[in-house]
């Protein structure tokens, strides 16, 4: 295995940890330990490989999960924010609006459950940093 392939595998382990534990408090040093890298090297490598910093990826992943909860459940916006790992409703709402362009309440009011497999719904509604 080449050094680049080894680095990519370690970065994928950290990315998988974000996907699996998105609702838990995660920080760069903990993720860097998973990837067996220093925090600064991990951040640079993650951004170079995936096009966004680990923090940006974590925020986007949390909002993606929140979008699914807002579409499918009757939980309050505050409950959704807590379930996806936000400690503050204000931070959740501000982040949600920054990524999706709408507030969580507006999104819930306009979103409808789709009668297609969940994997398609997730792909179609995934927030993109590209707009």
């Amino acid at each position: 295995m080449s050094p680049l392939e080894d680095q990519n595998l370690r970065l994928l382990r950290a990315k998988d940890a974000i996907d699996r534990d998105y609702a838990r408090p995660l920080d760069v040093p903990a993720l860097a330990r998973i990837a067996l890298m220093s925090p600064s090297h991990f951040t640079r490598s993650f951004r170079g490989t995936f096009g966004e910093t680990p923090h940006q990826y974590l925020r986007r992943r949390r909002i993606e999960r929140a979008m699914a909860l807002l579409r499918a459940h009757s939980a309050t916006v505050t409950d959704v924010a807590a379930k996806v790992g936000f400690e503050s409703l204000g931070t959740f709402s501000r982040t949600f609006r920054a990524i999706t362009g709408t507030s969580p309440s507006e999104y819930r009011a306009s979103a409808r459950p789709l009668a297609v497999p969940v994997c398609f719904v997730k792909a179609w509604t995934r927030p993109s940093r590209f707009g």
Side-chain angles (χ1 to χ4, degrees):
M1 177 179 315
S2 74
L4 182 59
E5 290 172 326
D6 180 55
Q7 176 178 294
N8 287 343
L9 278 175
R10 290 184 283 134
L11 290 170
L12 281 172
R13 281 189 202 114
K15 188 177 180 196
D16 288 344
I18 293 172
D19 290 340
R20 181 182 55 251
D21 298 327
Y22 65 90
R24 294 184 182 164
L26 294 172
D27 59 3
V28 170
L31 294 169
R33 283 191 298 276
I34 292 169
L36 304 174
M37 297 178 185
S38 72
S40 58
H41 181 67
F42 171 70
T43 300
R44 282 191 309 272
S45 299
F46 193 96
R47 184 177 192 148
T49 302
F50 300 114
E52 58 190 342
T53 67
H55 179 69
Q56 290 168 331
Y57 181 77
L58 174 61
R59 284 180 1 151
R60 192 169 53 81
R61 183 61 63 198
R62 284 178 172 170
I63 296 303
E64 179 182 318
R65 300 292 195 251
M67 291 169 71
L69 291 172
L70 289 169
R71 271 193 316 274
H73 298 286
S74 60
T76 66
V77 173
T78 304
D79 290 340
V80 170
K83 284 181 183 179
V84 298
F86 285 90
E87 294 178 10
S88 161
L89 179 60
T91 302
F92 170 69
S93 295
R94 188 173 48 254
T95 304
F96 195 96
R97 182 178 291 279
I99 291 175
T100 66
T102 184
S103 74
S105 298
E106 291 168 345
Y107 178 79
R108 171 178 270 163
S110 67
R112 295 184 197 132
L114 302 174
V116 295
V118 173
C119 58
F120 288 112
V121 174
K122 287 182 179 180
W124 292 336
T125 61
R126 179 169 289 132
S128 171
R129 64 186 180 85
F130 301 110

